[in-house]
Amino acid sequence: MSTAPDARAIAHAIVAAHGLRFGAITSAPVSAPNFSSDDAVYRGAKQACTALGFIEIDAECLAHAWRAQSERLSQFDAALWPDSPVDFGLRPFPPAARDDAFPPCPERLGLYAVLPDAAWVGRMARAGVPTVQLRFKSDDAAAVEREVQAAVAAVQGTGALLFINDHWQVAIAAGAYGIHLGQEDLDALSPEELQQLRASGLRLGVSTHGYAEMVRADAVSPSYIAMGAVYPTTLKRMATAPQGVARLAAYARLLRGYPQVGIGGIDAVRLPEVLATSVGSIAVVRALVAAEDPEATAAQWMAAMSAAAGN
């Protein structure tokens, strides 16, 4: 006679072990409406992850990881939140060792300034910000080309690493250090375009908003993975709720083979708890652009990050 716990007991055990950490204190997991397996660990884990606030695709991803972890360890352990790449079906780590990996970038990209135009890129690069991104929004192809070229010129001699948001073909032509793509931009690439991008030698960063998107990003072996939004942000409408530092820490453990960037609503007050997750880079937008003295603010942030890295 089997003594294995049933799905309901598994769901209760997971919520009891992790509810406070993820901000869900209910002891009665809600039912997950869609199951793709009859496995008890999978079903219980999906119920639990739904109760913990994970969206459907992430609850599904986590549930399969719980099942894989339990099979690998030959036992279910409610306290052991899945964080092994193999349990999520990821390819061997470290990703940089894969044959199809994009070129590596520093493990710690440090303060990562996301900026609206080339003038801001140059200003923050001259202020010593180690990583800058041009996020220039325009439907005018000629204007985009001019701005990207100006941003590449603006970082010359500064040591700053320049990533271009979205405009990957222009970035290749201009000789940028790397590009940054969102999930939709990544999905829109044809296999031929992805190969063109990989062959260019540019570094690739990819935005993610949860487990399913991290698995998707890992499939192309990018140079770094950005994770957010950590906190509420008014800068863009987000399809997913703020992740919070508990989830960010869990993501960081799973993706510990990648350089990692935390982004979304991070300010000076929240910086220490974000850095405590071991994420090696913090991306900021308003914290610099809206500051009274952007150079002084950047210096303060970099000093705080350097001190945290030394601890």
Side-chain angles (χ1 to χ4, degrees), residues 103-129:
C105 62
E107 180 181 355
R108 292 185 172 271
L109 289 163
L111 182 61
Y112 189 141
V114 181
L115 304 160
D117 55 41
W120 269 106
V121 165
R123 183 175 179 179
M124 291 296 94
R126 291 189 297 274
V129 175

Side-chain angles (χ1 to χ4, degrees), residues 166-192:
D166 291 352
H167 308 295
W168 63 274
Q169 290 157 315
V170 181
I172 292 173
Y177 178 80
I179 65 141
H180 181 92
L181 296 179
Q183 289 281 318
E184 292 180 356
D185 304 306
L186 181 62
D187 290 341
L189 293 178
S190 68
E192 293 76 20

Side-chain angles (χ1 to χ4, degrees), residues 29 32 37 51 56 60 86 99 109 123 128 154 158 188 205 244 276 280:
S37 168
E56 163 69 22
E60 177 76 5
V86 67
D99 291 341
L109 289 163
R123 183 175 179 179
T158 66

Side-chain angles (χ1 to χ4, degrees), residues 66-226:
W66 274 102
R67 176 184 181 178
Q69 173 180 265
S70 298
E71 290 177 350
R72 179 172 56 85
L73 300 177
S74 300
Q75 63 174 353
F76 165 72
D77 184 347
L80 197 60
W81 190 265
D83 64 7
S84 178
V86 67
D87 294 331
F88 287 84
L90 305 184
R91 291 186 294 152
F93 272 47
R98 300 171 187 166
D99 291 341
D100 65 348
F102 275 83
C105 62
E107 180 181 355
R108 292 185 172 271
L109 289 163
L111 182 61
Y112 189 141
V114 181
L115 304 160
D117 55 41
W120 269 106
V121 165
R123 183 175 179 179
M124 291 296 94
R126 291 189 297 274
V129 175
T131 310
V132 291
Q133 180 188 127
L134 174 68
R135 183 187 283 173
F136 182 70
K137 301 297 183 181
S138 175
D139 294 327
D140 183 338
V144 168
E145 186 174 354
R146 286 194 302 270
E147 207 68 27
V148 171
Q149 290 174 344
V152 171
V155 300
Q156 295 301 313
T158 66
L161 306 179
L162 171 65
F163 289 87
I164 305 298
N165 186 281
D166 291 352
H167 308 295
W168 63 274
Q169 290 157 315
V170 181
I172 292 173
Y177 178 80
I179 65 141
H180 181 92
L181 296 179
Q183 289 281 318
E184 292 180 356
D185 304 306
L186 181 62
D187 290 341
L189 293 178
S190 68
E192 293 76 20
E193 287 174 326
L194 184 62
Q195 183 52 40
Q196 180 187 351
L197 181 54
R198 186 175 276 117
S200 73
L202 267 67
R203 283 77 178 168
L204 172 64
V206 178
S207 294
T208 65
H209 307 91
Y211 281 104
E213 292 191 356
M214 289 189 290
V215 171
R216 170 69 186 91
D218 175 75
V220 301
S221 304
S223 306
Y224 75 79
I225 291 181

